[in-house]
């Protein structure tokens, strides 16, 4: 059997676990045509997959993945030619990737996971931190009549870096030893697309508008990635918050009322839209 692995990467709260929950629902429910079809579960933590898929169906926000709690699941999927391909997915905490960017350190087990296969890189489309200029901030504060303290330095910390800088930093690390395994396919997943779809941009245009340096890095083929950009709404809308006392979300209620939960999922590639989140996986494994 062809062995393939797909690495899921993304800073904390970028939508990695939600995607896995939606994918597991889609391939086990089999109510929608998909490019890759479920064959059987090869090994790994099926309890974890079932738990996140159940939470996804209930329209409840996933719990943060715990550091050190990396779950490795490997499932056999059938491609269009009905050839079984074994796909291994890690569900790694975003904190592990944050550490890679901030401290340039990585646990050996995460490093091992990262040295295989095509890459699904998650960026939460609605929580992008843009570059900020001190002069602009000062100007704005003055206009709003807010106090502008003089001579107060804020020490720089890598966590304050704009999203695109962190993303490029992570991608560059993957093209350096010990993680480099040569040019790979890269699918950039702009998650929570439902929150930004109103802007009327296609995913790549959105990336170029909000993350222009990342756009240039990809266009100039700086690290020879063979890349694509997708917009993904794995939830279809806002799910119920996990915060104590938070009221249920109206959107979540509407999503629960859909006949087919699989239809919550929206994957946008260019001008086309589908419910089939196996499409980028099929491309990564071609
Ligand atoms: N509106 C909306 N929110 C989403 C969607 N997908 C993920 N989110 C939200 O994004 C946040 C992070 O999602 P997770 O799937 O837990 O992200 P993660 O990357 O696994 O996070 P860590 O485990 O902390 O690394 C949650 O609040 C989700 O509800 C979506 O399709 N739509
Ligand atoms: Mg997670």
């Amino acid at each position: 059997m062809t062995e393939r692995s797909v690495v899921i990467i993304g800073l904390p709260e970028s939508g990695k676990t939600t995607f896995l929950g939606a994918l597991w629902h889609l391939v086990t429910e089999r109510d929608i045509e998909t490019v890759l079809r479920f064959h059987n579960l090869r090994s790994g933590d099926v309890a974890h997959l079932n738990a996140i898929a159940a939470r996804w169906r209930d329209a409840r926000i996933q719990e943060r993945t715990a550091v050190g709690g990396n779950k490795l699941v490997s499932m056999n999927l059938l491609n269009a030619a009905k050839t079984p391909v074994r796909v291994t997915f890690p569900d790694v905490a975003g904190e592990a990737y944050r550490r890679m960017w901030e401290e340039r350190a990585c646990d050996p087990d995460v490093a091992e996971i990262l040295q295989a296969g095509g890459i699904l890189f998650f960026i939460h489309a609605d929580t992008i931190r843009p570059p900020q200029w001190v002069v602009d901030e000062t100007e704005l504060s003055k206009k709003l009549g807010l106090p502008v303290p003089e001579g107060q330095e804020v020490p720089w910390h890598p966590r304050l870096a704009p999203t695109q800088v962190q993303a490029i930093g992570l991608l560059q690390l993957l093209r350096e030893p010990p993680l480099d395994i040569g040019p790979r396919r890269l699918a950039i997943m702009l998650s929570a697309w439902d929150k930004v779809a109103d802007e009327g941009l296609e995913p790549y245009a959105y990336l170029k508008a909000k993350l222009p340096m990342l756009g240039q890095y990809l266009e100039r083929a700086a690290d020879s990635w063979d890349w694509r950009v997708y917009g993904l709404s794995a939830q279809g809308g806002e799910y119920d918050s996990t915060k104590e006392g938070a009221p249920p979300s109206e959107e979540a209620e509407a999503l629960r009322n859909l006949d087919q939960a699989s239809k919550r999922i929206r994957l946008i590639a260019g001008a086309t839209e589908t419910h089939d989140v196996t499409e980028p996986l099929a491309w990564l494994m071609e």
Side-chain angles (χ1 to χ4, degrees):
M1 183 184 309
T2 328
E3 293 252 5
R4 296 290 158 83
S5 46
V6 172
V7 182
I8 302 183
I9 296 185
L11 290 164
E13 301 195 77
S14 53
K16 302 179 294 295
T17 304
T18 307
F19 163 81
L20 268 184
L23 172 74
W24 187 238
H25 171 86
L26 190 73
V27 297
T28 49
E29 193 72 12
R30 303 183 196 206
D31 58 345
I32 289 213
E33 256 324 283
T34 51
V35 185
L36 297 177
R37 298 195 17 242
F38 183 60
H39 188 42
N40 54 40
L41 189 75
R42 165 71 204 161
S43 65
D45 198 339
V46 68
H48 175 63
L49 279 178
N50 287 340
I52 59 177
R55 222 182 151 81
W56 178 86
R57 269 189 300 275
D58 286 353
R60 281 184 297 136
I61 289 178
Q62 299 291 338
E63 281 166 11
R64 303 284 309 278
T65 309
V67 180
N70 308 329
K71 314 269 188 191
L72 204 61
V73 258
S74 130
M75 49 178 109
N76 293 332
L77 300 173
L78 296 174
N79 64 16
K82 299 221 163 56
T83 316
V85 276
R86 182 177 304 167
V87 201
T88 306
F89 296 101
D91 189 9
V92 173
E95 294 301 331
Y97 299 120
R98 168 134 71 197
R99 242 191 101 214
M100 278 172 64
W101 157 249
E102 290 181 8
E103 299 165 28
R104 298 185 86 75
C106 175
D107 291 333
D109 56 339
V110 175
E112 199 186 311
I113 291 170
L114 293 178
Q115 287 166 51
I119 289 171
L120 273 178
F121 194 103
F122 280 79
I123 297 176
H124 193 296
D126 197 36
T127 58
I128 290 172
R129 176 201 284 271
Q132 286 166 314
W133 302 100
V134 176
V135 272
D136 293 346
E137 297 287 308
T138 312
E139 183 92 349
L140 188 67
S141 299
K142 281 188 183 150
K143 277 193 186 138
L144 293 171
L146 299 171
V148 182
E150 295 279 335
Q152 266 188 23
E153 252 180 59
V154 179
W156 187 78
H157 188 280
R159 197 165 301 184
L160 301 175
T163 304
Q164 58 182 0
V165 174
Q166 301 196 25
I168 295 171
L170 279 174
L171 289 170
Q172 286 177 330
L173 281 177
L174 291 164
R175 290 307 321 272
E176 280 172 27
L179 303 179
D180 187 23
I181 55 161
R184 307 192 214 185
R185 286 200 165 172
L186 166 70
I188 305 244
M189 310 293 276
L190 298 172
S191 65
W193 190 256
D194 50 283
K195 306 269 273 188
V196 302
D198 279 357
E199 299 199 21
L201 295 173
E202 283 180 7
Y204 182 47
Y206 187 85
L207 182 140
K208 285 207 288 192
K210 309 286 173 174
L211 305 157
M213 190 165 78
L214 178 61
Q216 287 171 35
Y217 167 82
L218 295 170
E219 258 171 28
R220 303 298 302 166
D223 278 324
S224 315
W225 297 103
D226 180 5
W227 55 274
R228 281 188 184 178
V229 181
Y230 295 89
L232 170 71
S233 175
Q235 295 182 175
E238 206 58 25
Y239 275 9
D240 286 338
S241 167
T242 43
K243 290 203 185 84
E244 226 176 288
S249 138
E250 267 177 42
E251 252 180 287
E253 198 46 42
L255 291 165
R256 277 188 288 265
N257 287 336
L258 283 179
D259 282 345
Q260 278 176 287
S262 304
K263 293 202 170 155
R264 294 175 195 175
I265 305 167
R266 293 175 59 206
L267 178 81
I268 291 96
T272 63
E273 186 172 329
T274 163
H275 302 300
D276 181 10
V277 277
T278 72
E279 208 180 77
L281 302 179
W283 176 69
L284 287 176
M285 297 189 315
E286 253 169 36

